[in-house]
Amino acid sequence: MALTVSEFERAYKEEVLQLFAESWQTASLDQQFAALASLVKRYSASDWSQTKQAVDHNNEKQIYYFSIEFLPGRMLATNLLNLGILTTVERAFKEMGLNFKRVLGMEVDPGLGNGGLGRLASSFLDAMASIGINGNGNGLRYQTGLFKQDFLNGYQVELPDDWLRNGYVWETRKIERAVVVRFGGEVNLLPSADGRLLAQYRHTENVLAVPYDIPQIGYRNGHVNTMRLWQAEPPAMGQPLTVAQREEISAISQSLYPDDSTEAGRRLRLRQEYFLVSAGLQSIVRHYRKTHQDFTQFAQTVAVHINDTHPAMAIPELMRLLLDEVRLDWDSAWAITVQVMSYTNHTLLQEALETWSIDLFAPLLPRIYQIIQEIDHRFRSAYHDADPALIDSIAPLGHNMVRMAYLAVWGSHAVNGVAALHTRLLEESVLSGWYQLVPERFSNQTNGITLRRWVQLANRPLAKLLDKTIGSDWRRSPLAIEALQPFADQPKFLHKLAAAKLKNKRSLAAYVKRTVGLSIATDAMFDVQIKRLHAYKRQLLHLLRIIDQYQTLKAGLAGGPKYVHIFAAKAAPGYYYAKEIIKAINATADLINHDPEVNQQLQVAFLPNYSVSLAERIIAAADVSEQISLAGKEASGTSNMKLMATGAVTLATMDGANIEIYDAVGAANMMTFGLSSEQVLQHQRNFDYSARDLFERDPRIHRIVSALIDGTIPGIEVEGQDIYQSLIQYNDEYFVLADLKAYLDAGARLDELYLRPEAWGKMVVANLAASGRFSSDLTVAGYARDIWHVTPENQVNRH
Ligand code: 26Q
């Protein structure tokens, strides 16, 4: 939009006055934020309304992205950037003598997700709006988000995230769009006038689903989509409810499950999933009926995407609506459902594949269970010629359980993995039976990231340098950043690049000092591992390398570059082992940071409360990106992409999207090591891996691992012993010791490169130049083309 600095200033001052009866000079930071956000809402309102009108008017297809998690991050800067008024507003704030950065910092960061999956959902919403697709989010308005993490004596403590305390400026409650979601009770199928059975419900628990809409503004294209979050409330009318009944209802959208792998088996979790799905689909069907006579156009105008299996009940729920409410016959309803639905898988961990026991499921969702039984029955009949053992092993209903992934594949026309290796492994193992049956449904859609957030906003020094060097095309066309490649050989440019990095390091160092009281050296190599804490992600491997560095320094054998190791990671509250790793890292950090013999060369900072906002600070300052999961375990990873896109070099195993980063930057510009997923599989099959052998035969490994139990690291008597046992006694499930030597060697090679600034700069440039292909704009364009069958208004090309 077009807006001059003085126009904006006038509008802003008026907004402060109208909202708070306060002059702009005396407004608090909170008030400044509220006024600015309120103006942004005003600026985007007509585009929002027009986008919605155009959809109905032109009968355009809408994508609904169903996800139990979203991690949008702070929205003010993004919204200003996407409206095209960020620099205008910045200038105005400067002119008024106000601190724009601090105003941005007043916004809450909604923690409505655990990690990668939730963040991906939000980056897709941003991308859909930005490439001009009608794509809406459908999620839950959790009253409390993911816990806030603090450390007490090195142990993780969890504090509630009361993110709505001061209201959420971007949302609008839409009570007139509320729908009723029913749980439990009894269903009877009674003959009805149309000669078919009609499902009649009795004694159900009725829950009011109230939507809250949040605008998702596209990048300078006037396109504004909607993220809709549902809140559970007791219905205003009907049976009076007891306090306990009301609480059971509110509990549905009360809090996010703080686990990113398994929490299955919980009744409340199942209620959340059905609530999300039923509310979303009822509102879609209701809206469709306003503009259409019959359902012949439904599959052409509606696509529902299922983000992992958590919303997979969308399949039986849409069947229920089409059968019971619209009164279609089974075959027509099923044909529509399959055309509408598509499903993304996000995990290869067997234990993370969602299943529900029928004992829990059937009484809570009796009609949905009936429909799943019928789906299962018809699936088995459709393949009565096929190998019965195969069919039995992949049918939606297994022994006393509903298998959500199998239901999702059978009820969708498209299934995808999130990185090339992940998709291949899905086809070969996790979903191999399904791949045999319906190979045409499978495709790969490698994850992507919002470069606007991670580069344009979170790394301003780099963004400015890019503009000066190659012009600003990269801001709109991600692949245009390839033009940077020739500058890899220009020392003058490399100098400026290093200067930009140093600036970011100084900002991060100031933050670290402010928050944890540690002064980190900004002339050190910043080696970063930021992600959820999981055994398979192997933060332990990183810790063992730090112990090795410590022991080397203590032995007086210096020589490498200065290091600052930076961690950020939350552990699921019930994940005991992950919490022990956190304690071990914190204890090691304490030891190292306080030892004057080493702390000039080596420091460790574990920053509490990892979140989107903290990621923005860390990523811009990173030199090294640790992506060291056991090969075959990390579906994709996305911090690997964020870090390479802002000038870090990757130290990685050949896992998830690391492989595609390797393909993009070439062997010379990334440091890879360790077992391949095939080698891991082979060891597992042959039972020929012995961690104890390695420990006993390799003196260096022996020395490093022994530090966990010999008192070297004070304060981890229990944790050190447990971790040691997991490695030696229980044979190191995640092959940490198997990869340790290769990891240390790779680290040493990286050290040598870091000590040669030109060699290092060259690698950084190669990474930056190759980063465009990981833009989520391109990823979403792939989904649009292969899965949703819609054409973006704005052209984005992958090749
Ligand atoms: C399931 C049942 C009950 C409670 C919680 C859950 C649950 C919640 C969140 C299960 C899984 C998740 C999140 C998984 C996740 O974030 N997976 C990551 O997805 C990223 C985006 O595709 C990938 O890059 C990562 O590799 C993958 O680990």
Side-chain angles (χ1 to χ4, degrees), residues 502-518:
L502 182 59
K503 219 170 167 189
N504 296 327
K505 286 183 176 180
R506 289 197 173 126
S507 313
L508 179 62
Y511 173 84
V512 171
K513 178 77 193 160
R514 247 191 348 264
T515 52
V516 297
L518 181 70

Side-chain angles (χ1 to χ4, degrees), residues 69 116-117 259-261 263 269 310 346 447 536 634-637:
E69 306 197 348
L117 167 141
D259 193 311
D260 68 341
S261 51
E263 263 293 324
R269 173 71 179 189
H310 322 136
H346 293 266
N447 283 168
Y536 84 79
E634 188 71 270
S636 161

Side-chain angles (χ1 to χ4, degrees), residues 68-69 113-121 256-266 269 272-273 307-310 344-349 352 354 356 418 422 447 532 534 536-537 633-641 656-657:
I68 201 129
E69 306 197 348
N114 274 285
L117 167 141
R119 180 56 217 157
L120 189 77
L256 169 79
Y257 271 92
D259 193 311
D260 68 341
S261 51
T262 47
E263 263 293 324
R266 304 290 178 94
R269 173 71 179 189
Q272 291 187 332
E273 292 183 354
N307 196 27
D308 214 315
T309 52
H310 322 136
T344 298
N345 173 290
H346 293 266
T347 189
L348 291 162
L349 306 182
E354 212 183 4
W356 291 103
V418 292
H422 172 230
N447 283 168
R532 279 302 280 256
H534 257 287
Y536 84 79
K537 294 178 189 281
K633 296 285 182 193
E634 188 71 270
S636 161
T638 40
S639 75
N640 46 4
M641 301 169 185

Side-chain angles (χ1 to χ4, degrees), residues 54 70 110 118 166 232 256 330 341 431 463 471 484 521 606 670 702 717 757:
F70 285 93
N166 300 318
L256 169 79
W330 183 279
M341 299 289 164
L431 296 175
L484 200 65
F606 198 143
M670 176 169 167
H702 196 277
E717 290 68 28

